[in-house]
Amino acid sequence: MEITTQEGLLGPLLLARSAIDRSATLRGDAEWLKQAWADGASRVVVVDDGQALVRRDGDEAALVLLPTAEAPEGERYLLGVDVDGVVYFAVSASLEGVTHGDSFNRIVAPLAPAALQQGQAVAAGLRQVGSLLGDLDAGLLVYAVALEAWHSTHEFCPRCGSHTEVRAGGHVRVCPRDGSQHFPRVDPAVIMLVHDDEDRCLLARGPQWPEGRLSVLAGFVEPGESLEHAVAREVVEEVGVHVVDPRYLGSQPWPFPRSLMLGFFARATTTELVPDLEEIAEARWFSRAELLAALESGEVRLPSEVSIARRLIETWYGGPLTGDW
């Protein structure tokens, strides 16, 4: 099975791409996993606290994928098999030393291809390079980062506190004391562009963000709650606006550390803004002309193009916008 760039109502969602079969039926086959690791064609992405090594590849970037024989020691996670039969693993380990003496820098700011010298290795995360990677590499890195984040916080059994063991190619942890199994989880979160009957959109910023950094509203789905109810609840809680007609548009993994963002449009039936100041520092309505003018003047900046928030805003606007965070 090959899955490539997700193209839907929101256009390409850059962190929702993949070009591998996750091969779930092979995860429990210890002999197959052993043979796959010994195969010289198999490749490994080393992930270290959400970062991996990348190199410039023309106008884009590519993951530094190691043969298994050159991979450092660390927890192994099976990522899957591509259409050519190449098996991919992730290893959770320090990036120091994996380039055999090649120097590399850690990137913490947005990265453009021009910032990379050809062949130079840099350690970067999805926010920096997600838009520069191809379908295969983007899917591998999202998967590896998500698994690493889950494993790093689930080393111990929640029932008895025993140290758990990694099984099934990194897709389950088992408690050796009580035999309980623990599987990687994702946290569903709704993210919604609210528009009113005057065809304005609502943008806001959290108190931790600097002035001018605006986005759409979002929040986690609560236990026993539908996605549609979560959309309505979060909007009224955060800005005091009532909405109806939530319309689902698409989803994207957001492994920071383990969210799944479910994108919606919703229509406002009230427009008075009453922000919850613990969650929202400011909220504003924008027409298309007002938003474009604010972006061109530098008054407003939008989330990066790897985010579903940016796709929701551009879908409402009707085309690409500039002015990244």
Side-chain angles (χ1 to χ4, degrees):
M1 176 180 65
E2 180 181 8
I3 301 174
T4 53
T5 307
Q6 178 175 328
E7 294 281 359
L9 295 174
L10 293 178
L13 293 167
L14 298 180
L15 299 189
R17 297 176 290 158
S18 181
I20 59 167
D21 183 332
R22 293 196 172 204
S23 306
T25 59
L26 297 172
R27 294 170 186 168
D29 189 335
E31 184 60 30
W32 181 88
L33 288 170
K34 180 180 179 181
Q35 292 177 2
W37 185 261
D39 188 339
S42 296
R43 289 295 179 265
V44 176
V45 52
V46 180
V47 59
D48 179 3
D49 194 22
Q51 292 194 324
L53 291 180
V54 298
R55 283 195 174 97
R56 182 174 176 179
D57 183 11
D59 291 331
E60 299 179 343
L63 285 176
V64 176
L65 296 170
L66 302 179
T68 55
E70 298 179 14
E73 291 295 322
E75 288 187 346
R76 299 177 191 172
Y77 316 134
L78 173 67
L79 301 180
V81 183
D82 70 13
V83 293
D84 296 319
V86 177
V87 182
Y88 295 89
F89 292 90
V91 168
S92 176
S94 172
L95 291 173
E96 299 293 338
V98 302
T99 54
H100 299 283
D102 292 346
S103 61
F104 67 88
N105 300 313
R106 289 189 180 271
I107 301 297
V108 295
L111 178 68
L116 283 171
Q117 297 179 6
Q118 196 73 31
Q120 177 194 16
V122 298
L126 285 164
R127 285 187 174 94
Q128 292 77 42
V129 297
S131 64
L132 305 177
L133 298 172
D135 288 354
L136 174 64
D137 286 2
L140 291 173
L141 186 54
V142 170
Y143 199 179
V145 167
L147 284 174
E148 182 208 27
W150 181 80
H151 281 280
S152 69
T153 57
H154 288 76
E155 294 181 274
F156 300 95
C157 177
R159 293 182 176 182
C160 68
S162 297
H163 194 280
T164 53
E165 300 171 352
V166 178
R167 304 276 181 83
H171 291 78
V172 64
R173 297 188 76 101
V174 177
C175 176
R177 181 176 179 183
D178 62 26
S180 59
Q181 296 182 332
H182 308 279
F183 298 89
R185 294 289 190 265
V186 295
D187 299 324
V190 290
I191 182 166
M192 44 276 173
L193 182 137
V194 177
H195 58 93
D196 68 3
D197 288 337
E198 297 180 25
D199 204 18
R200 299 179 299 172
C201 82
L202 176 61
L203 300 180
R205 70 176 177 91
Q208 71 277 19
W209 298 348
E211 290 189 14
R213 180 179 291 187
L214 300 182
S215 185
V216 295
L217 302 176
F220 288 105
V221 181
E222 294 187 346
E225 185 177 45
S226 71
L227 300 178
E228 293 80 5
H229 283 125
V231 168
R233 175 184 55 77
E234 283 288 344
V235 175
V236 76
E237 285 179 358
E238 292 192 347
V239 294
V241 170
H242 293 268
V243 300
V244 294
D245 304 329
R247 181 164 66 101
Y248 173 74
L249 295 177
S251 66
Q252 172 165 275
W254 193 248
F256 307 110
R258 53 183 157 271
S259 298
L260 175 65
M261 307 304 295
L262 301 141
F264 287 82
F265 276 5
R267 181 172 63 86
T269 58
T270 64
T271 58
E272 181 183 0
L273 299 174
V274 186
D276 175 353
L277 296 181
E278 292 187 1
E279 298 282 343
I280 303 295
E282 67 170 312
R284 296 168 57 186
W285 291 101
F286 289 89
S287 68
R288 288 177 177 79
E290 289 169 341
L291 179 58
L292 182 61
L295 291 171
E296 290 179 342
S297 69
E299 177 188 359
V300 168
R301 288 169 291 157
L302 297 179
S304 74
E305 61 180 342
V306 301
S307 68
I308 191 172
R310 178 64 166 268
R311 293 301 181 208
L312 286 165
I313 295 168
E314 291 182 335
T315 298
W316 167 81
Y317 181 79
L321 292 166
T322 59
D324 291 4
W325 289 356

